[in-house]
PDB file of all heavy atoms in Angstrom:
ATOM      1  N   LEU A 138      63.097  73.922 140.721  1.00  0.00           N
ATOM      2  CA  LEU A 138      64.172  74.893 140.411  1.00  0.00           C
ATOM      3  C   LEU A 138      65.452  74.202 140.062  1.00  0.00           C
ATOM      4  O   LEU A 138      66.162  74.522 139.058  1.00  0.00           O
ATOM      5  CB  LEU A 138      64.458  75.806 141.657  1.00  0.00           C
ATOM      6  CG  LEU A 138      63.614  77.108 141.674  1.00  0.00           C
ATOM      7  CD1 LEU A 138      63.835  77.769 143.057  1.00  0.00           C
ATOM      8  CD2 LEU A 138      64.132  78.063 140.588  1.00  0.00           C
ATOM      9  N   ASP A 141      65.759  72.675 136.642  1.00  0.00           N
ATOM     10  CA  ASP A 141      65.731  73.541 135.411  1.00  0.00           C
ATOM     11  C   ASP A 141      67.156  73.692 134.942  1.00  0.00           C
ATOM     12  O   ASP A 141      68.004  74.399 135.545  1.00  0.00           O
ATOM     13  CB  ASP A 141      65.182  74.898 135.814  1.00  0.00           C
ATOM     14  CG  ASP A 141      64.903  75.809 134.585  1.00  0.00           C
ATOM     15  OD1 ASP A 141      65.625  75.512 133.552  1.00  0.00           O
ATOM     16  OD2 ASP A 141      64.120  76.769 134.637  1.00  0.00           O
ATOM     17  N   GLN A 142      67.453  73.033 133.847  1.00  0.00           N
ATOM     18  CA  GLN A 142      68.815  72.906 133.361  1.00  0.00           C
ATOM     19  C   GLN A 142      69.330  74.250 132.819  1.00  0.00           C
ATOM     20  O   GLN A 142      70.565  74.386 132.627  1.00  0.00           O
ATOM     21  CB  GLN A 142      68.925  71.804 132.303  1.00  0.00           C
ATOM     22  CG  GLN A 142      68.399  70.467 132.723  1.00  0.00           C
ATOM     23  CD  GLN A 142      69.307  69.352 132.603  1.00  0.00           C
ATOM     24  OE1 GLN A 142      70.532  69.529 132.808  1.00  0.00           O
ATOM     25  NE2 GLN A 142      68.847  68.191 132.207  1.00  0.00           N
ATOM     26  N   ARG A 143      68.454  75.105 132.645  1.00  0.00           N
ATOM     27  CA  ARG A 143      68.951  76.433 132.095  1.00  0.00           C
ATOM     28  C   ARG A 143      69.497  77.291 133.241  1.00  0.00           C
ATOM     29  O   ARG A 143      70.108  78.284 133.040  1.00  0.00           O
ATOM     30  CB  ARG A 143      67.815  77.120 131.385  1.00  0.00           C
ATOM     31  CG  ARG A 143      67.417  76.479 130.038  1.00  0.00           C
ATOM     32  CD  ARG A 143      66.035  76.953 129.604  1.00  0.00           C
ATOM     33  NE  ARG A 143      65.123  76.850 130.722  1.00  0.00           N
ATOM     34  CZ  ARG A 143      63.770  77.079 130.652  1.00  0.00           C
ATOM     35  NH1 ARG A 143      63.331  77.527 129.489  1.00  0.00           N
ATOM     36  NH2 ARG A 143      62.999  76.975 131.699  1.00  0.00           N
ATOM     37  N   ARG A 144      69.205  76.890 134.498  1.00  0.00           N
ATOM     38  CA  ARG A 144      69.633  77.783 135.574  1.00  0.00           C
ATOM     39  C   ARG A 144      70.846  77.143 136.201  1.00  0.00           C
ATOM     40  O   ARG A 144      70.847  75.992 136.648  1.00  0.00           O
ATOM     41  CB  ARG A 144      68.537  77.753 136.626  1.00  0.00           C
ATOM     42  CG  ARG A 144      67.235  78.557 136.308  1.00  0.00           C
ATOM     43  CD  ARG A 144      66.211  78.271 137.338  1.00  0.00           C
ATOM     44  NE  ARG A 144      65.119  79.217 137.230  1.00  0.00           N
ATOM     45  CZ  ARG A 144      65.146  80.465 137.802  1.00  0.00           C
ATOM     46  NH1 ARG A 144      66.201  80.852 138.425  1.00  0.00           N
ATOM     47  NH2 ARG A 144      64.053  81.249 137.719  1.00  0.00           N
ATOM     48  N   PRO A 145      71.937  77.937 136.235  1.00  0.00           N
ATOM     49  CA  PRO A 145      73.118  77.436 136.925  1.00  0.00           C
ATOM     50  C   PRO A 145      72.925  77.347 138.440  1.00  0.00           C
ATOM     51  O   PRO A 145      72.154  78.212 138.993  1.00  0.00           O
ATOM     52  CB  PRO A 145      74.204  78.508 136.598  1.00  0.00           C
ATOM     53  CG  PRO A 145      73.623  79.287 135.434  1.00  0.00           C
ATOM     54  CD  PRO A 145      72.115  79.173 135.558  1.00  0.00           C
ATOM     55  N   ILE A 146      73.472  76.338 139.070  1.00  0.00           N
ATOM     56  CA  ILE A 146      73.248  76.172 140.518  1.00  0.00           C
ATOM     57  C   ILE A 146      74.563  76.332 141.216  1.00  0.00           C
ATOM     58  O   ILE A 146      75.605  75.840 140.853  1.00  0.00           O
ATOM     59  CB  ILE A 146      72.751  74.666 140.737  1.00  0.00           C
ATOM     60  CG1 ILE A 146      71.565  74.281 139.898  1.00  0.00           C
ATOM     61  CG2 ILE A 146      72.443  74.509 142.277  1.00  0.00           C
ATOM     62  CD1 ILE A 146      70.332  74.923 140.222  1.00  0.00           C
ATOM     63  N   ARG A 169      73.355  66.823 136.322  1.00  0.00           N
ATOM     64  CA  ARG A 169      73.180  67.927 135.433  1.00  0.00           C
ATOM     65  C   ARG A 169      74.382  68.784 135.324  1.00  0.00           C
ATOM     66  O   ARG A 169      75.373  68.643 136.067  1.00  0.00           O
ATOM     67  CB  ARG A 169      71.974  68.764 135.818  1.00  0.00           C
ATOM     68  CG  ARG A 169      71.922  69.128 137.287  1.00  0.00           C
ATOM     69  CD  ARG A 169      71.070  70.345 137.520  1.00  0.00           C
ATOM     70  NE  ARG A 169      71.561  71.539 136.918  1.00  0.00           N
ATOM     71  CZ  ARG A 169      70.923  72.666 136.755  1.00  0.00           C
ATOM     72  NH1 ARG A 169      69.743  72.794 137.208  1.00  0.00           N
ATOM     73  NH2 ARG A 169      71.549  73.713 136.192  1.00  0.00           N
ATOM     74  N   LYS A 191      69.961  86.717 137.012  1.00  0.00           N
ATOM     75  CA  LYS A 191      68.583  86.360 137.311  1.00  0.00           C
ATOM     76  C   LYS A 191      68.330  84.844 137.186  1.00  0.00           C
ATOM     77  O   LYS A 191      67.424  84.243 137.793  1.00  0.00           O
ATOM     78  CB  LYS A 191      67.648  87.105 136.454  1.00  0.00           C
ATOM     79  CG  LYS A 191      67.449  88.585 136.725  1.00  0.00           C
ATOM     80  CD  LYS A 191      66.221  89.159 136.094  1.00  0.00           C
ATOM     81  CE  LYS A 191      66.437  90.540 135.582  1.00  0.00           C
ATOM     82  NZ  LYS A 191      67.046  91.455 136.665  1.00  0.00           N
ATOM     83  N   LYS A 192      69.106  84.281 136.274  1.00  0.00           N
ATOM     84  CA  LYS A 192      68.885  82.810 136.028  1.00  0.00           C
ATOM     85  C   LYS A 192      69.474  81.935 137.131  1.00  0.00           C
ATOM     86  O   LYS A 192      69.090  80.753 137.295  1.00  0.00           O
ATOM     87  CB  LYS A 192      69.404  82.396 134.664  1.00  0.00           C
ATOM     88  CG  LYS A 192      68.620  82.946 133.472  1.00  0.00           C
ATOM     89  CD  LYS A 192      69.105  82.391 132.167  1.00  0.00           C
ATOM     90  CE  LYS A 192      68.094  81.496 131.465  1.00  0.00           C
ATOM     91  NZ  LYS A 192      66.693  81.916 131.670  1.00  0.00           N
ATOM     92  N   VAL A 194      70.772  80.132 140.551  1.00  0.00           N
ATOM     93  CA  VAL A 194      70.113  79.652 141.800  1.00  0.00           C
ATOM     94  C   VAL A 194      71.301  79.405 142.798  1.00  0.00           C
ATOM     95  O   VAL A 194      72.294  78.787 142.520  1.00  0.00           O
ATOM     96  CB  VAL A 194      69.314  78.319 141.599  1.00  0.00           C
ATOM     97  CG1 VAL A 194      68.874  77.782 142.920  1.00  0.00           C
ATOM     98  CG2 VAL A 194      68.272  78.574 140.568  1.00  0.00           C
ATOM     99  N   THR A 220      68.114  83.531 142.481  1.00  0.00           N
ATOM    100  CA  THR A 220      67.076  82.908 143.387  1.00  0.00           C
ATOM    101  C   THR A 220      67.803  82.203 144.492  1.00  0.00           C
ATOM    102  O   THR A 220      68.692  81.356 144.162  1.00  0.00           O
ATOM    103  CB  THR A 220      66.185  81.921 142.666  1.00  0.00           C
ATOM    104  OG1 THR A 220      65.564  82.623 141.471  1.00  0.00           O
ATOM    105  CG2 THR A 220      65.073  81.320 143.517  1.00  0.00           C
TER     106      THR A 220
END
Side-chain angles (χ1 to χ4, degrees):
Chain A
L138 268 171
D141 188 340
Q142 309 235 34
R143 291 161 310 184
R144 288 171 169 278
I146 311 286
R169 46 160 293 171
K191 289 195 214 312
K192 290 189 112 35
V194 176
T220 303

